[in-house]
Structures are given as C-alpha cells and as structure tokens.
Amino acid sequence: MTITEGPQPRRYRTSERTVILVIILAVLCFYALCFVSRVHEVRVSSLPDYMYIPHLLGERSATATRSSDNGQAILDRLAENAAIQSAERDAWFDAARAHHVRHRKENANLARLDLSTFYGGIMLQPSSACPADLVKTSSVRDIFDGGKWLCGASLLGSTSAYSDRPCVVYSLGCNFETSFERTVQEISGGRCDVHVYDPTLRPPAKVKAFAEEMKQERIYLHEVAVRGTSGHSTIRIGDKEYDSQGIGTMFESNGHDCVDILKFDVEGAEYDILEDTDWSSLCIGMILFELHGGMIRDQRGVDYTVKDGIRHVRRLEEAGFQHYKTEQVWVGGHAQAELAFVNYTWLLPALEGV
C-alpha cells in the first residue's frame, strides 16, 4: 500500500521571512511612535516666553534657550515626566477612545463622581514635584487646617535672583488671619510687598486699625473682591455687592508685570477663578489655593465632580504651571484640599549650582 503525501504548505525562504519580519517591525515602530508622540503632546502654543520649558518645545525663544546647567536638566526631566503622567490621567476621562464597552462605562462613571470620593483624591494627586527647598508656612500642629507649601522659598529672600524688582505676593482672602503673609515676610526678611484682597472685613474701625498695622510690615490691604474674568465689575457675596477685579487687573492696578506668589482662599469663589482666568497671560512664580468642593456645590447647586477638578488643574498645567502638592485641609471639610503649582522657569535660579 502506497501512502502519498498531500499538498505541503508553502515554505518561505530565509530572504522572504526576513522581509516579512522587517515589515512587521516597521508597522510596530510606526504605531509606537504615534503613541509616544501623543503621550508627550504638550499644548504650549499660547505660553508666554517666561513660561517656556525648552526641552518640551520645538521652537525656543531668545530668552528661553536650552541650558546645559544641571538645574535646567532636572526641571526639563520633571516637566516631561509630569506631561506623561497628566496625559495618562486625562485618558481616564476619554471614554470615547476606551477599547472596551465596560471601560467606556467606567470612565464615564468616574467623570461624574463627586470630588469628595476616594477616587477624587487619587485623581487629584500631583503630577510633578518640587526640586527646590520646600517650606510650609504653618503646620497642622499649630493651625487646624495647616498652611501653604512653598516651593523655592529661598528665592523670596534672594537679592540676586530677581534684583530688578522686590518680591511680590498676592493673597486673596484673609478674614484678619495673617499667618501666611507674616511667614512669607519672615522667610524673605521683609523683602516682599504683600497685597491682601478681602472686601468682607467688618467692622470698619477694626479694618482701619488692621490695615494700618499690616502696612508697617509691607502688607497692604485692598477691600476689593476677585473675579474670574479680567477688568472691573461688581460681584455679589451673600446679600451684598462688592467691587471686583480680575487677577490680571489687580496686577496692573499695582504696576506689577510679574509676581512671585499668588495665593487665594475664597470659600468657593475659586470656581470662577479656576474656570475663567487666562493663566497663560499671567507671569506668576507659585500659585497656591484652597479648593472647597462642598462650598462650590452649595453655591452652584450641582456637584463639583472629579472631572471638574481635573479640568481646572489641566488649565493651569496647560499654561505651564507644574502641580507639585496636594494636601487635605481638614477631615470635616467636603472635598477640601490645598493645591500648589510652580512655574519651573521662575524656579530655575533656586537650582543654580546643583
């Protein structure tokens, strides 16, 4: 009995296998490059020169050429890592691109969660870090809700970093509590001009005495409210209306092109600031603020969601500010947290000689 073999599969010659392998590798490399370019995408077309991080940009301004200094290299790497982490964080809200139906549903659910949830705290974690000296203005051992975290605090007292101007600090919201402002003056050796904005202080006699006392320490009181959009207007707080200014207008009214610190703690009114302020038009070193998710919810009548919080963080990131700190305020608060951002270009002098 003769056994005949059936048709045999075609065998590829070595040269053909090599060609096929090269094609497969080329396709894989193409998709890998597409992924990397998307992850590294940083929207910086509208950034002013002072906020440029040269390593992240194709075009460099004359004032932002890449330095071989170790400090610049550290900041470049931190900014690049932050951009990668932020892109991945934002992917959680891109339900349309999720590959699985279940993932699309879960991503949509995450976006709707109130910021006070466990997942809100996870998503609000910083994407970057402070590579310079980190100082807190008040410990929770001394004040129940703690103080603010300063990145590069040594620059406030430096006479060489920005010798063409004094240190400038804006503090929006006060309620006669000045531990932040006085600590800043202590750190800087009294070198800063501190401008405090709060229109709600009462009674007038106490306000007048308070203003005179603070003026002796180069802390100047302005009884004006803050608004999200630029210009002058009025704003209702409770049952009263007050004069209000946008942050940029505040700077202009005092003759400031750049400021070292902007701090705001305005009991829910931060929503409009975070939603409407054109951050890319402002020259600021550090931005420190308290987020009041519960107060925002009560004032607006809708939950302040995880997606809302990340959208506001992203607006700051897109303007060149690096998110280096998130900290709870107090256990009894609803979605309350201290957030801190720094402009790495402003921070560079703190790393000279590293």
Side-chain angles (χ1 to χ4, degrees), residues 16-330:
E16 291 177 314
R17 288 199 298 269
T18 302
V19 170
I20 292 172
L21 181 61
V22 169
I23 292 173
I24 292 173
L25 289 174
V27 172
L28 290 175
C29 287
F30 172 77
Y31 281 107
L33 286 172
C34 289
F35 173 76
V36 170
S37 64
R38 183 170 181 267
V39 168
H40 282 73
E41 179 185 358
V42 180
R43 286 169 283 186
V44 293
S45 59
S46 63
L47 295 188
D49 288 348
Y50 66 84
M51 283 183 180
Y52 278 177
I53 304 296
H55 186 60
L56 296 178
L57 297 172
E59 297 181 1
R60 300 174 174 85
S61 70
T63 59
T65 54
R66 181 167 174 79
S67 169
S68 59
D69 178 79
N70 287 339
Q72 182 66 64
I74 291 171
L75 296 181
D76 288 349
R77 175 54 59 86
L78 286 173
E80 182 176 5
N81 289 347
I84 293 171
Q85 291 186 80
S86 296
E88 180 62 15
R89 175 204 64 205
D90 294 346
W92 284 93
F93 302 101
D94 194 357
R97 293 194 180 187
H99 295 295
H100 194 281
V101 174
R102 178 182 174 186
H103 294 163
R104 288 197 291 270
K105 183 177 180 180
E106 289 178 349
N107 289 4
N109 288 339
L110 173 64
R112 290 191 292 266
L113 288 176
D114 188 278
L115 190 66
S116 65
T117 63
F118 170 81
Y119 296 102
I122 293 295
M123 297 300 290
L124 209 59
Q125 64 183 312
S127 58
S128 193
C130 173
D133 50 314
L134 188 63
V135 175
K136 195 176 186 186
T137 57
S138 298
S139 170
V140 291
R141 295 186 180 93
D142 304 316
I143 298 179
F144 84 97
D145 57 352
K148 312 293 181 185
W149 286 98
L150 306 179
C151 180
S154 59
L155 290 178
L156 302 177
S158 173
T159 58
S160 58
Y162 301 103
S163 57
D164 58 327
R165 62 172 177 82
C167 161
V168 179
V169 177
Y170 277 70
S171 178
L172 315 182
C174 166
N175 195 28
F176 295 111
E177 208 290 305
T178 57
S179 59
F180 168 79
E181 294 79 7
R182 283 176 156 151
T183 301
V184 165
Q185 288 296 51
E186 181 180 347
I187 292 172
S188 70
R191 181 174 172 266
C192 295
D193 287 335
V194 181
H195 293 267
V196 174
Y197 280 75
D198 194 329
T200 65
L201 303 181
R202 296 290 184 274
K206 182 179 179 180
V207 175
K208 182 178 179 180
F210 173 74
E212 290 298 325
E213 179 186 356
M214 292 298 98
K215 192 174 181 180
Q216 303 304 312
E217 302 178 46
R218 294 178 67 174
I219 302 173
Y220 308 102
L221 177 64
H222 306 262
E223 295 182 72
V224 177
V226 61
R227 52 184 287 125
T229 54
S230 60
H232 300 258
S233 185
T234 59
I235 191 171
R236 179 170 290 277
I237 303 176
D239 59 351
K240 295 185 179 181
E241 284 198 349
Y242 300 93
D243 290 336
S244 67
Q245 296 178 351
I247 292 172
T249 306
M250 290 177 175
F251 294 175
E252 292 172 6
S253 66
N254 294 306
H256 296 138
D257 295 324
C258 291
V259 306
D260 297 274
I261 301 176
L262 168 66
K263 178 275 264 187
F264 50 95
D265 185 349
V266 288
E267 309 302 307
E270 68 271 11
Y271 182 92
D272 290 336
I273 299 174
L274 296 169
E275 185 75 13
D276 299 324
T277 300
D278 181 7
W279 297 115
S280 64
S281 69
L282 301 176
C283 179
I284 306 171
M286 274 181 276
I287 298 178
L288 317 170
F289 63 92
E290 184 172 331
L291 191 61
H292 305 79
M295 292 184 178
I296 293 173
R297 176 201 59 196
D298 295 342
Q299 292 167 14
R300 296 179 56 81
V302 293
D303 285 343
Y304 186 68
T305 65
V306 175
K307 189 174 183 178
D308 291 331
I310 297 304
R311 183 180 73 255
H312 289 154
V313 167
R314 189 187 305 118
R315 293 192 74 243
L316 286 158
E317 292 172 341
E318 290 174 349
F321 295 99
Q322 304 295 328
H323 181 194
Y324 66 89
K325 191 66 179 177
T326 293
E327 184 176 76
Q328 73 277 10
V329 177
W330 65 298

